[in-house]
C-alpha cells in the first residue's frame, strides 16, 4: 500500500508542515519497523510529495499504525492530513509508484530528479533494514521502469527539472541574466543544478551560499570563473548584491526572512529583488513580499509555466504508460507466484537431501567406483530428480499467476503429500494477502 500526500492534493504550506527532516529519515524508518502490522516500509520525500510504501500484515490495522506513526514521530497533530492524504492499495499502489518513478506524477512531467530521489529512498530503506523481499523487488522494478521511460521515450526531453523551470521563471521576470547578479542559497542537488543552468543561461556573476563552505566551494569551482562563494552569516550582504535569488536548502525553518531582506533592500532601494523558492519546507518567509521591490514565487507557483512548456513531453505519455503496464504486470506475476515459493523450496530441499543420502550410501557400499564413475552417477541422479520435479514446479508456478486459489490448493496438496511442513501460519497469512491485493 501507499499512504501519502503530494502536490496534487496538498499545497506547499501543508507539505512543508509535514515534511520529515532529511537527517531524521533513517531514524523514522527504524521506528516504522517496530509497528506490528508493518512488515516492510519505505519513505519517499521530495519537494512535491511525502509517501510511505509498505507491505502490511493487515490493511486496516496497518494503515492505522502508519497514521499513529506519523502522529508520534512528528510530535504534533496530523489530523489535518486527512483532508490531503490518499491511501492506495494493491495494484493502485504499484501503478502509482511506477507513475512516480517515470515522472508522470511529478509537478513537472518527466522531471530529471525524481528517479534519483526514488533511488535515494530505496538506498535509505536498505540502510535502515526496513525493506523485505516485496518492496526490494517492487522498487527495483520501479527504477527499471523509470530508466526505460527516459531511454525509450521523450518524457524527459526539453526542460528537465524544477530547477530549470525556476530559472526560466526568473528570466520571465528580470529578462536576460547577462549582467545580473544571482544568489543561489543551498548547494545540494537542486541548488547545484540551478547554478549550472543559471550559468548556461548567461549569468556571469553567481554567488553560491551554503551552510557548508566546502560544499559551496565545490559547486562554485564546477561553474568555472563565473561563481564566488559566500557563507551563511553573510546572507544580508549577498542579498544586497543580488538581482535574483534561487533558494533550495534542507532547513526546517525560514532562511530568508523579512528582517534580513529589509536590511538588504535599504542598501539598494532602487533595485528590485526577485526570489524563487524551490525548497520544501520553504526557505523564504512569504511576508517578504510586503517589502517594496521584492517579488517571490514558491515551487507551487511554477505550475503555470510548467504546464505551458510540456507539450512535447505529453506526447510521450501513452508510450510511458505502455512501459508502466509491462512493468506492473511483471511485478504482479512475481508477487502472485510467491504462493509457490515455500513449497517449491521445501520440495527441492527434501529431494536433494534424499538424493545426497542415497549417493553417499551407494558410494560407501561400492568403494571400487572410480572418481569418473562417481561423477557420472551423481550427474545421472541430478538429472532424474530435475526431470521429476520440473513438471510439478512449472505447473504450480504457472497456476500461481493464472489462478491463485487453485495454486493455493496445489501448494497445500504438495505440502501434505510430501510432508514438507512448508506452509506455516505465516505463509498462510501471506497467501491470503495475495487474494486481498487482487481485490
Amino acid at each position: 500500500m501507499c499512504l501519502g500526500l503530494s502536490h496534487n492534493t496538498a499545497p506547499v504550506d501543508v507539505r512543508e508542515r509535514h515534511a520529515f527532516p532529511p537527517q531524521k529519515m533513517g531514524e523514522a524508518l527504524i521506528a516504522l519497523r517496530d509497528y506490528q502490522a508493518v512488515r516492510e516500509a519505505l519513505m519517499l520525500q521530495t519537494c512535491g510529495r511525502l509517501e510511505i510504501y509498505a507491505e502490511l500484515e493487515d490493511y486496516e490495522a496497518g494503515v492505522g499504525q502508519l497514521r499513529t506513526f506519523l502522529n508520534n514521530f512528528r510530535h504534533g497533530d496530523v489530523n489535518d492530513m486527512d483532508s490531503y492524504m490518499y491511501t492506495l492499495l494493491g495494484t493502485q499502489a504499484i501503478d502509482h509508484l511506477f507513475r512516480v518513478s517515470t515522472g508522470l506524477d511529478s509537478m513537472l512531467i518527466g522531471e530529471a530528479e525524481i528517479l534519483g530521489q526514488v533511488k535515494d529512498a530505496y538506498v535509505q530503506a536498505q540502510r535502515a533494514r526496513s525493506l523485505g523481499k516485496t518492496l526490494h523487488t517492487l522498487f527495483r522494478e520501479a527504477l527499471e521502469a523509470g530508466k526505460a521511460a527516459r531511454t525509450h521515450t521523450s518524457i524527459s526531453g526539453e526542460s528537465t527539472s524544477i530547477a530549470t523551470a525556476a530559472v526560466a521563471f526568473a528570466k520571465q521576470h528580470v529578462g536576460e541574466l547577462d549582467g545580473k547578479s544571482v544568489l543561489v542559497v543551498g548547494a545540494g542537488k537542486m541548488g547545484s543544478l540551478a547554478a549550472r543552468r543559471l550559468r548556461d543561461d548567461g549569468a556571469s556573476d553567481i554567488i553560491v551560499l551554503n551552510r557548508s563552505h566546502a560544499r559551496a566551494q565545490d559547486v562554485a569551482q564546477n561553474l568555472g570563473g563565473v561563481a564566488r562563494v559566500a557563507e551563511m552569516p553573510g546572507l544580508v550582504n549577498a542579498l544586497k548584491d543580488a538581482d535574483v535569488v534561487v533558494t533550495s536548502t534542507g532547513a526546517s525553518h525560514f532562511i530568508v526572512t523579512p528582517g534580513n531582506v529589509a536590511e538588504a533592500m535599504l542598501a539598494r532601494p532602487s533595485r528590485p529583488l526577485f526570489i524563487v523558492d524551490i525548497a520544501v519546507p520553504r526557505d523564504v518567509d512569504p511576508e517578504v513580499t510586503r517589502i517594496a521591490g521584492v517579488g517571490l514565487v514558491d515551487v507551487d507557483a511554477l505550475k503555470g509555466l510548467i504546464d505551458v512548456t510540456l507539450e512535447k513531453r505529453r506526447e510521450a505519455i501513452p508510450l510511458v504508460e505502455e512501459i508502466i503496464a509491462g512493468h506492473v504486470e511483471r511485478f504482479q506475476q512475481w508477487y502472485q507466484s510467491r504462493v509457490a515459493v515455500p513449497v517449491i523450496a521445501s520440495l527441492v530441499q527434501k529431494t536433494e537431501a534424499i538424493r545426497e543420502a542415497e549417493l553417499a550410501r551407494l558410494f560407501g557400499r561400492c568403494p571400487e567406483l572410480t572418481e569418473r564413475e562417481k561423477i557420472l552417477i551423481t550427474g545421472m541422479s541430478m538429472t532424474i530428480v530435475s526431470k521429476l520435479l520440473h513438471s510439478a514446479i512449472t505447473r504450480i508456478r504457472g497456476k500461481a499467476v493464472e489462478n491463485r486459489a487453485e495454486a493455493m490448493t496445489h501448494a497445500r496438496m504438495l505440502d501434505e503429500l510430501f510432508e514438507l511442513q512448508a506452509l506455516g501460519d505465516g505463509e498462510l497469512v501471506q497467501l491470503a494477502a495475495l487474494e486481498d491485493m487482487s481485490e
Side-chain angles (χ1 to χ4, degrees), residues 3-5 9-10 14-15 17-20 50 52 66-67 70-71 74 76-86:
L3 180 72
L5 52 81
T9 64
V14 173
R15 301 201 305 274
R17 190 162 63 248
H18 298 295
F20 277 73
L50 170 63
I52 302 175
L66 289 178
R67 290 178 180 271
L70 288 172
N71 193 62
R74 295 295 295 132
D77 185 7
V78 295
N79 289 330
D80 68 319
M81 293 182 79
D82 291 340
S83 302
Y84 306 102
M85 187 173 286
Y86 42 84

Side-chain angles (χ1 to χ4, degrees), residues 288-299:
V288 302
T289 56
R290 296 180 179 273
I291 301 169
V294 177
L296 169 67
V297 295
D298 59 32
V299 67

Side-chain angles (χ1 to χ4, degrees), residues 337 340-349 392-394 396-397 414 420 422:
S337 71
V341 170
V343 168
I344 289 173
S346 293
L347 182 60
V348 170
Q349 185 178 14
I393 291 174
T394 300
I396 195 171
R397 279 180 174 161
L414 281 175
L420 301 176

Side-chain angles (χ1 to χ4, degrees), residues 55-57 59 89-91 332 335-339 399-409 412 427-439:
E55 169 90 330
L56 305 175
E57 290 279 0
Y59 284 142
L89 305 178
T91 302
Q332 286 182 314
Y335 192 87
Q336 292 165 203
S337 71
R338 295 187 312 164
V339 64
K399 284 295 181 185
V401 175
E402 297 170 7
N403 187 321
R404 286 180 297 281
E406 190 173 343
M408 289 171 68
T409 300
R412 290 191 179 99
E427 285 74 17
L428 292 176
V429 168
Q430 200 169 29
L431 300 185
L434 294 170
E435 293 298 315
D436 292 340
M437 175 181 155
S438 66
E439 295 170 3

Side-chain angles (χ1 to χ4, degrees), residues 80-215:
D80 68 319
M81 293 182 79
D82 291 340
S83 302
Y84 306 102
M85 187 173 286
Y86 42 84
T87 303
L88 305 172
L89 305 178
T91 302
Q92 285 183 324
I94 297 166
D95 185 74
H96 176 74
L97 173 60
F98 287 17
R99 293 183 69 83
V100 170
S101 68
T102 56
L104 289 192
D105 196 64
S106 295
M107 184 183 300
L108 183 137
I109 297 173
E111 67 168 298
E113 288 84 13
I114 187 61
L115 190 59
Q117 291 165 335
V118 171
K119 184 177 180 180
D120 288 345
Y122 168 69
V123 170
Q124 278 191 315
Q126 281 185 310
R127 289 174 179 165
R129 299 175 184 254
S130 65
L131 288 186
K133 186 66 173 177
T134 297
L135 291 188
H136 169 80
T137 305
L138 175 62
F139 272 78
R140 294 298 298 176
E141 196 74 37
L143 290 170
E144 288 297 321
K147 291 176 186 176
R150 282 154 179 76
T151 301
H152 302 299
T153 78
S154 59
I155 194 65
S156 58
E158 300 297 321
S159 176
T160 57
S161 71
I162 294 293
T164 302
V167 174
F169 207 104
K171 288 177 66 177
Q172 282 189 0
H173 284 75
V174 303
E176 293 302 317
L177 298 176
D178 186 25
K180 302 288 194 308
S181 179
V182 182
L183 170 62
V184 177
V185 182
K189 289 183 180 179
M190 197 74 78
S192 300
L193 183 59
R196 289 198 302 271
R197 188 55 190 259
L198 286 162
R199 178 200 60 189
D200 294 344
D201 277 25
S204 55
D205 180 23
I206 300 174
I207 307 166
V208 181
L209 186 147
N210 192 61
R211 193 170 299 279
S212 167
H213 186 72
R215 176 60 185 161

